[in-house]
Each structure stands twice: as structure tokens, then as C-alpha cells.
Amino acid sequence: MERSLRLGRLATFAYFVLNGFLMGMWIVHIPDIEHRVGISHAVLGWLLLLLGAGAFAGMQLVGPLTDRFGARTVVPLSAALCSAGVVLPGWAANAWTLGAALLVLGLGNGCLDVSMNAHAIQVERGYRRPVMSAFHAAFSIGGVLAALAGARMLSWGWSPVANLGTVALLGLAIAAVAAPALLETRSADAPETSDDPAAAAKEKRSTRTPRRIWGLATLALMIMLCEGVANDWSTLHLRNVLGAPAATAALAYGAFSTAMTIGRLLTDRVAARFGPVAVLRYGASAAALGLTAASLSSSIPLTLIGWTLFGAGLSGCVPQLFSAAGHADPDAAGTNVSRVAGLGYVGMLAGPAIIGPLTQVMPLHLTFFLPVAFCAVAAATAGILRSRAVVAGLGAAAA
């Protein structure tokens, strides 16, 4: 059992890296595909909403499927769909076909996101200690690998179809090779049906998503909105507000993303020692402090330190929310994770949509106090992570 658990964990790492790599390769090729299709930045912005819509739909679709058929079955199929979908934008000839391609790619991304997180919950339950954050760090590492590999492939002068087609074949191979190592789903015997109306009503109520899961999903929306703000506005903050050179301004996002990756590699040990409530409470508090410092500072070095602290503080928050959702009910782990991941993804997309209009009525750096407020709410409500199910799933050391 220990060997199969280790292999299952390695396979989960492979799928997280693959997911980050596939989406990173799409991002690297956006300028070339935009030019090839002949669309404006504005049109591309609208088409990217289809990518988000596809991801959200995939998340909601695959959650119940994962609970029914098991992550061992659904994860490889989702990875194959995402891998095949990544080549479609390279074939697009106009805005319509690019929109359809992004919808399929988003669907595959959403399916893989939820199903591999559901399997990560299964692995974490086997280890009886926190291991979720390291998986999310693997996703970030996949994005870094995509940036390096994509830059190299673009330097060879290959077309987007050739580059993304190669990536698709690699993804399909990884999905197939890693599949046998995934853990078997251990499900209880199916309950007998009852003719008792009261029992039937109780069973029907039990299929509804609990309020606690929606609470976790709301926190995920807030935290991932904060991440989206850093992704889209950190570089512009240094460039437009502080007047930093372009190369220096790029360090803001670099500092944030590096701190996020390193923080996620370290968070599992912190969660095992102090518990998930402490990770969320003090992590969100540190993030609020860091973004406040970055917002109010007129010094570029201090601002970079603020963005670094913001990334470090946020790094462990979302994995704790996913973990709590998955452990709340082992028989509905996929569905519960899909709710949290789905609303979180909405938050990620909403970041630029909210901050942009706010800049019409106040300076950019003052709009950052909205995500600061969200971090404060997350810190104040971190106690929602306390649950007997989490204690049972991770063991006393992690509780």
C-alpha cells in the first residue's frame, strides 16, 4: 500500500505539472496566434472569456463524474482532453474558430483541474498529513517550464500548430503513462433504497451542497481574486504609479509568483505543524499587510517587498480551502471541490474586471484596498476550516 500511495502521489504531481505546462504553452503562444488570426486585443479579450466559461463548465461537469466513476478514470481522460485541446487554437483561422477552440481548451482545463484536485485529496487522505500545497506548487513549476520551453520553440521559428501539436502529443503520452499509478477509489457499498418518505427526503437533502462548502467557495473567490489582481496589475502598478522602467516593473509579478511557488512548497509542513486554520488566518493577514505596504509605498524596493509578502501570504490559502472541501465528505469530494474551484475561478477572472473600472474613479494603487479587505475577511473567518472530517482525513497532527 505504501508503494502504491507513493506512486499515486508522483502521478498526481505529473498531472499538476502537465496542467500548468499546457496552459503555460497556450499563454506563450498568444501573441503569435493573435497575429495569425488577425484580431485586435479587444476581440482577444472577449474570446478569452470563452476560455473561462469553458473552464467553469468543465469544473461543474466533472465534479459529479469524478465522484461517480473515480478520479483514476476521470483524471487521464481530462488530461487527454486538455492536451488535445491545446493544439486547437493553433489551427484557428478566424475569431469564430479561435473562440470554439478556446471553449474546448477551457473545458479540458476545468475538467483536469477539478479531477486532479479530487485525486490529490485521495492521496492526502492516504498520507494522513497535508500534501496539497506541494501539488499546487507543481502547477506553478509547470508554468515555468512552459515559459522556458515555449521561448526555445519559438526561437526555432516553428508555427503555432507545430509547437502546440508537439505539446499535445507529449501531454497525451504523459496522461497515458501516469494513469496506471493513480489510486483506486475505495467506495462504500451502495445504500439500499427506502420507501420511507422521511428517509427519502433526508437522502435528498444530503445530496445538496452544504452551506459550509459554499462558505469555502466564497473564500476561494476572494483569495483567487486577489491572485488575479497580482497577475494583471502588479507590473502596471510599478510602471504607471511609481514610474519604474519596464524591466524593473516586471520584477513585481516575478517576485509575487516566485514567493507563491516557494510558499506552496513549504506550506504543507507549516499546515502539519500548526494546522490549516493558522495557514489561512496568518497567511491572509500577511498578504493584507504586504499589499497595503505595496499600495502606500513610494519606494520601488519596498513595493517589491510588499508584492513578495503578498505572494507568500496567499501561497497556502487556496490549497487549504480545496483540501477542506475534499475532506468534508469523501463520497462527494469531486462535487465539493468543483464548487470551490468554480467560484474561485470566477474570482480569478473578476480581478481585472473589477479593478479596471475602479481606476476610473481612484488611482490604481488605492483600488488594491479591495483585495486587502478580502484578505482581512479571509483571516477573520479562517475558523471555517475547523472540521471533524478534516481531522479524520489528515490525522491529529494536521488538525
Side-chain angles (χ1 to χ4, degrees), residues 25-39:
M25 289 300 292
W26 147 247
I27 291 171
V28 167
H29 286 82
I30 286 178
D32 277 6
I33 292 174
E34 180 186 40
H35 176 73
R36 182 175 179 274
V37 174
I39 57 176

Side-chain angles (χ1 to χ4, degrees), residues 50 181 326:
L50 293 174

Side-chain angles (χ1 to χ4, degrees), residues 9 12-13 16 117 120-121 124 129-141 259-272 275-276 279-280 312-323 394:
R9 187 182 185 187
T12 310
F13 274 122
F16 271 83
N117 271 286
I121 296 295
E124 190 172 57
R129 61 180 173 85
V131 296
M132 177 65 78
S133 292
F135 292 135
H136 285 245
F139 177 89
S140 300
I141 292 171
M260 282 279 289
T261 303
I262 295 175
R264 284 178 170 171
L265 289 172
L266 300 175
T267 294
D268 288 330
R269 292 183 180 274
V270 177
V279 171
L280 179 58
L314 290 180
S315 61
C317 295
V318 168
Q320 306 312 308
L321 298 173
F322 279 33
S323 180
L394 301 184

Side-chain angles (χ1 to χ4, degrees), residues 222 225-226 229 288 291 310 355 367-376:
M222 293 181 180
L225 184 145
C226 294
V229 167
L291 189 54
F310 187 54
I355 297 297
T367 66
F368 293 155
F369 282 99
L370 176 62
V372 166
F374 286 162
C375 288

Side-chain angles (χ1 to χ4, degrees), residues 7 37 52 56 65 94 107 174 182 186 193 206 272 293 300 320 324 365-366 370 380:
L7 290 175
V37 174
F56 183 82
L65 292 177
N94 51 50
L107 183 70
I174 293 174
L182 294 176
R186 293 176 298 179
T193 58
S206 68
I300 291 177
Q320 306 312 308
H365 64 287
L366 294 183
L370 176 62

Side-chain angles (χ1 to χ4, degrees), residues 16-64:
F16 271 83
V17 172
L18 176 61
N19 192 198
F21 184 75
L22 292 173
M23 298 312 296
M25 289 300 292
W26 147 247
I27 291 171
V28 167
H29 286 82
I30 286 178
D32 277 6
I33 292 174
E34 180 186 40
H35 176 73
R36 182 175 179 274
V37 174
I39 57 176
S40 65
H41 294 330
V43 173
L44 177 64
W46 286 107
L47 293 179
L48 288 175
L49 293 178
L50 293 174
L51 180 71
F56 183 82
M59 289 174 181
Q60 304 314 305
L61 172 68
V62 85

Side-chain angles (χ1 to χ4, degrees), residues 35-382:
H35 176 73
R36 182 175 179 274
V37 174
I39 57 176
S40 65
H41 294 330
V43 173
L44 177 64
W46 286 107
L47 293 179
L48 288 175
L49 293 178
L50 293 174
L51 180 71
F56 183 82
M59 289 174 181
Q60 304 314 305
L61 172 68
V62 85
L65 292 177
T66 303
D67 292 332
R68 180 174 181 180
F69 298 106
R72 182 183 173 93
T73 299
V74 177
V75 171
L77 294 176
S78 299
L81 176 60
C82 192
S83 298
V86 78
V87 73
L88 298 180
W91 278 330
N94 51 50
W96 293 102
T97 52
L98 179 57
L102 292 180
L103 190 64
V104 174
L105 177 59
L107 183 70
N109 177 48
C111 290
L112 181 55
D113 191 322
V114 166
S115 60
M116 70 183 183
N117 271 286
H119 187 265
I121 296 295
Q122 195 175 338
V123 172
E124 190 172 57
R125 190 175 295 115
Y127 273 87
R128 298 187 65 83
R129 61 180 173 85
V131 296
M132 177 65 78
S133 292
F135 292 135
H136 285 245
F139 177 89
S140 300
I141 292 171
V144 172
L145 293 176
L148 297 174
R152 185 61 176 171
M153 295 173 80
L154 289 170
S155 71
W156 294 337
W158 291 7
S159 69
V161 172
N163 288 344
L164 296 177
T166 302
V167 170
L169 292 176
L170 176 63
L172 290 171
I174 293 174
V177 170
L182 294 176
L183 300 179
E184 293 280 1
T185 301
R186 293 176 298 179
S187 58
D189 293 334
E192 296 181 1
T193 58
S194 173
D195 296 330
D196 184 0
K202 182 178 180 181
E203 181 180 352
K204 182 178 180 180
R205 287 195 300 271
S206 68
T207 63
R208 297 175 182 171
T209 302
R211 285 180 294 179
R212 180 171 176 270
I213 298 300
W214 289 119
L216 294 171
T218 302
L219 286 180
L221 184 150
M222 293 181 180
I223 296 297
M224 292 183 72
L225 184 145
C226 294
E227 293 182 16
V229 167
N231 294 341
D232 295 299
W233 299 101
S234 56
T235 298
L236 287 174
H237 172 222
L238 261 74
R239 181 67 171 162
N240 296 344
V241 176
L242 300 183
T248 303
L251 295 176
Y253 176 69
F256 171 82
S257 58
T258 301
M260 282 279 289
T261 303
I262 295 175
R264 284 178 170 171
L265 289 172
L266 300 175
T267 294
D268 288 330
R269 292 183 180 274
V270 177
R273 177 67 179 84
F274 299 104
V277 174
V279 171
L280 179 58
R281 176 168 293 149
Y282 295 108
S285 298
L289 178 62
L291 189 54
T292 299
S295 302
L296 299 180
S297 173
S298 58
S299 164
I300 291 177
L302 181 57
T303 300
L304 289 174
I305 292 174
W307 282 111
T308 302
L309 182 58
F310 187 54
L314 290 180
S315 61
C317 295
V318 168
Q320 306 312 308
L321 298 173
F322 279 33
S323 180
H327 288 297
D329 181 358
D331 293 330
T335 300
N336 290 339
V337 170
S338 72
R339 301 293 186 260
V340 175
L343 268 189
Y345 198 79
V346 169
M348 181 76 76
L349 296 175
I354 292 176
I355 297 297
L358 284 178
T359 60
Q360 302 299 315
V361 296
M362 65 180 69
L364 174 61
H365 64 287
L366 294 183
T367 66
F368 293 155
F369 282 99
L370 176 62
V372 166
F374 286 162
C375 288
V377 171
T381 59

